[in-house]
Amino acid sequence: MSQKTRIRRFTPVQRLFHLLLILSFLTQGSTGLARLYIASSWGKSLAWVFGGYDACRTIHIYVGIFLVCFFVAHVLYVLTKINWKKLSGPDSLLPRPKDIKDFFQHIGWFLGISKAPEFDRWGYWEKFDYWAVFWGVPLLGATGLLMAYPLTATKIMPGWGLNVALWIHRIEAILAMCHVFIIHFFIVHLRRHNFPMDRAMFEGSADLTATRHERPAWIARLQEAGELESKLVAEAPAGRRAIFYVFGYAAVVVGIFLLIGGLVNSPYITW
Amino acid sequence: MIGTKRVRWVIPCLAAIFLVTEVILPTLVSAQEEVASYIRRYKDREASTGFYEQYEVKPRRMAPLVEVPGVTRGIFPYSPSAAKVRIRTRLADSHWGIKFYERRRCEECHIRETRDIHTTRANLTCRQCHGGEPIASLGHYYSPFNPIRKHAYVCAKCHQGANASYASYIVHSPNPALASTRQAFPVLFYVFWFMVILAGGTFVVFLPHTALWGARELFVKKEKAEGESKD
């Protein structure tokens, strides 16, 4: 029997949400960039994968609608699971004053002038990533729907609003992609603590020793409450771990491809 | 001798062929073509006349059909003291009086208008929307671009069902980053800069943060996973 060396962090439903978010986000990024860069050979190649310029739009619209629905489903899920009594506690993803303190202490640790902060269950960067989706998806979804159905949209707003919606959509999409492909990928895959990959979001659990090192406040709280043992699980079989690595790195490769291709071909964008 | 007789026949034959082709073939014109985008050579439906595959030929110069007495040539008294100036926003022919107009191309003066989504991506040439000569000023009562009929005469050619609100979409949208857009399209200007500051602010904080984090962890001994050898 394998040892319980890992601590459970995410439920299967939460992992499914993340998996769907990865797939829909990469599809939206690829089809959106294919259209933005259609004047370049890189953009044409990217569009070819999805069936061409017009097909990219169709896919972008339907996956976008799926993403909005799935976001609404996530909000409903959260509302059913939320523990209202512990809303401001350390298990909540709501920002707390301690997050600001942790952020500055962390910067101090980077510069070698203070001790590393003792993180609890959620780090401030994880909360930022989570809430960024909450402003990103509504903004991209609303502006995207307005542009996808302009005849309907202009019954409730003036046509020039679509000019504004287009720029909100573009800048927010570029912000989201750059954040995920540079910052999120680096933090969860490439920094030394997590290298080669933090499997927590795929496997559902994190290595106990590494967690004890990075999130000592959480482990101490669980030990004090006597809940640590109940949260320990065994590592996934090697075959399943291999799938996690292949899938995770496939997502990274797609992201880096879009990032580098986008930067290199940026002079050919037809705004 | 026989060869010389044949040569004598060749010249009249060539002349006859030339005359016949002159009658049958279209009139020769100088190269006045506007290259269209290559993204979508043929669309689902032809949107308008004047668009032939990849090339568009400028129509012959024509006088405007509609004239307003006294303003035919677009000379309006600008002010009691100033010289008379031409106001091109209300003319039956907005290009009236431009020298060598027949030999000029739209983009020579309207370069910015050739760089938006409708022209670069949707494969539209200028005349598909603006029509043939004379092109009336946008503010002219009879112009297809007059807001009272633009949605029906211009937008609805491709976007069936377009209403007047829809037609207020700015096809030749200004560059949102420019200071001049603050006057021309203030909402676009302020929203654009708000979004740029939002995105820029995120990266100003998180890019150095991530780089410093990555660098700092290089100087920390990596903890071994549970069950891994401590050696």
Side-chain angles (χ1 to χ4, degrees):
Chain A
M1 187 179 166
S2 55
Q3 284 186 315
K4 292 184 174 179
T5 58
R6 297 177 69 82
I7 181 165
R8 194 171 63 245
R9 290 202 73 200
F10 302 105
T11 65
V13 175
Q14 290 162 351
R15 286 148 58 195
L16 178 67
F17 275 130
H18 187 252
L19 177 69
L20 292 175
L21 186 62
I22 292 175
L23 294 173
S24 53
F25 185 80
L26 290 178
T27 307
Q28 291 300 80
S30 305
T31 49
L33 288 179
R35 284 178 66 85
L36 186 64
Y37 285 83
I38 196 66
S40 70
S41 58
W42 181 76
K44 288 189 186 70
S45 308
L46 202 54
W48 173 82
V49 174
F50 295 95
Y53 185 73
D54 288 336
C56 278
R57 182 174 185 272
T58 307
I59 294 170
H60 199 77
I61 289 172
Y62 285 108
V63 175
I65 291 170
F66 167 78
L67 192 50
V68 170
C69 295
F70 143 68
F71 175 74
V72 171
H74 177 74
V75 172
L76 294 174
Y77 166 80
V78 168
L79 289 174
T80 58
K81 290 288 176 187
I82 213 161
N83 187 342
W84 295 98
K85 288 177 185 171
K86 293 184 178 177
L87 203 58
S88 58
D91 283 319
S92 168
L93 274 164
L94 280 182
R96 298 191 300 159
K98 185 178 181 299
D99 295 320
I100 299 168
K101 186 176 163 246
D102 282 351
F103 173 76
F104 286 107
Q105 193 179 337
H106 211 194
I107 300 285
W109 178 70
F110 298 160
L111 301 173
I113 56 177
S114 64
K115 281 176 61 182
E118 296 195 347
F119 293 113
D120 207 294
R121 186 173 175 185
W122 309 113
Y124 62 86
W125 70 94
E126 291 167 323
K127 290 184 181 180
F128 182 85
D129 284 359
Y130 181 77
W131 290 108
V133 178
F134 270 75
W135 96 55
V137 172
L139 212 53
L140 287 167
T143 52
L145 283 171
L146 290 175
M147 290 186 291
Y149 302 101
L151 293 173
T152 309
T154 51
K155 286 178 183 170
I156 54 170
M157 60 176 266
W160 55 259
L162 297 176
N163 293 83
V164 181
L166 176 63
W167 277 101
I168 294 174
H169 197 84
R170 281 172 171 168
I171 299 173
E172 178 57 34
I174 291 169
L175 164 63
M177 281 187 284
C178 289
H179 185 82
V180 170
F181 299 156
I182 300 172
I183 295 164
H184 182 69
F185 279 180
F186 184 84
I187 290 175
V188 299
H189 286 269
L190 302 177
R191 72 183 168 100
R192 197 168 174 223
H193 178 87
N194 284 341
F195 189 83
M197 189 173 99
D198 182 358
R199 305 196 306 269
M201 224 356 149
F202 298 112
E203 197 170 334
S205 61
D207 178 71
L208 182 59
T209 310
T211 308
R212 200 188 293 278
H213 182 259
E214 186 161 85
R215 303 168 201 272
W218 184 36
I219 302 296
R221 192 161 54 81
L222 289 175
Q223 275 177 330
E224 200 175 314
E227 294 173 2
L228 183 61
E229 284 300 317
S230 64
K231 285 193 175 290
L232 295 183
V233 291
E235 192 171 37
R240 206 185 298 169
R241 289 207 306 273
I243 293 171
F244 297 151
Y245 279 113
V246 169
F247 180 79
Y249 268 92
V252 171
V253 167
V254 172
I256 300 294
F257 170 74
L258 294 178
L259 181 70
I260 293 175
L263 289 173
V264 170
N265 292 285
S266 56
Y268 307 111
I269 296 176
T270 49
W271 295 105
Chain B
M1 290 301 286
I2 294 168
T4 312
K5 279 183 181 177
R6 279 183 181 170
V7 171
R8 280 179 193 163
W9 278 104
V10 166
I11 294 169
C13 283
L14 285 176
I17 291 168
F18 177 74
L19 286 172
V20 170
T21 50
E22 262 298 282
V23 173
I24 294 172
L25 293 177
T27 313
L28 291 173
V29 292
S30 55
Q32 297 168 326
E33 60 209 18
E34 294 176 25
V35 178
S37 164
Y38 47 82
I39 296 170
R40 281 184 285 184
R41 181 69 56 83
Y42 294 104
K43 299 175 68 174
D44 294 334
R45 292 170 288 276
E46 281 291 339
S48 68
T49 58
F51 178 56
Y52 303 103
E53 235 181 276
Q54 201 173 359
Y55 301 102
E56 182 179 16
V57 177
K58 278 187 177 178
R60 194 161 57 82
R61 178 82 178 154
M62 287 162 38
L65 297 174
V66 180
E67 295 182 357
V68 178
V71 294
T72 312
R73 288 175 182 276
I75 306 294
F76 293 87
Y78 186 64
S79 75
S81 57
K84 288 179 177 179
V85 295
R86 196 181 300 277
I87 302 171
R88 294 201 175 273
T89 55
R90 283 182 271 165
L91 300 181
D93 179 2
S94 58
H95 298 107
W96 186 273
I98 293 175
K99 287 180 179 170
F100 308 114
Y101 177 69
E102 296 85 346
R103 300 205 169 269
R104 302 184 74 170
R105 294 159 66 101
C106 304
E107 63 264 33
E108 287 176 23
C109 296
H110 301 284
I111 184 68
R112 188 177 66 76
E113 283 75 11
T114 65
R115 292 175 182 164
D116 51 59
I117 291 176
H118 274 76
T119 45
T120 58
R121 304 232 204 125
N123 198 23
L124 291 183
T125 54
C126 306
R127 291 184 197 286
Q128 280 185 278
C129 295
H130 290 275
E133 300 295 331
I135 298 172
S137 304
L138 302 188
H140 190 272
Y141 185 77
Y142 293 104
S143 168
F145 277 83
N146 190 300
I148 63 170
R149 66 175 72 82
K150 182 182 171 187
H151 58 287
Y153 277 61
V154 183
C155 304
K157 286 198 287 187
C158 297
H159 305 282
Q160 286 85 352
N163 57 21
S165 165
Y166 183 91
S168 72
Y169 173 79
I170 312 293
V171 170
H172 303 306
S173 184
N175 183 337
L178 297 180
S180 57
T181 307
R182 191 175 160 191
Q183 300 292 327
F185 199 163
V187 177
L188 183 67
F189 176 83
Y190 287 114
V191 167
F192 172 82
W193 281 110
F194 172 79
M195 291 302 298
V196 167
I197 291 167
L198 179 73
T202 304
F203 293 124
V204 162
V205 173
F206 278 99
L207 279 178
H209 168 274
T210 307
L212 283 172
W213 194 354
R216 182 67 177 86
E217 288 202 354
L218 294 176
F219 299 97
V220 179
K221 191 179 176 187
K222 190 179 178 184
E223 64 281 0
K224 297 282 183 187
E226 291 271 333
E228 249 185 274
S229 168
K230 299 287 181 190
D231 298 334

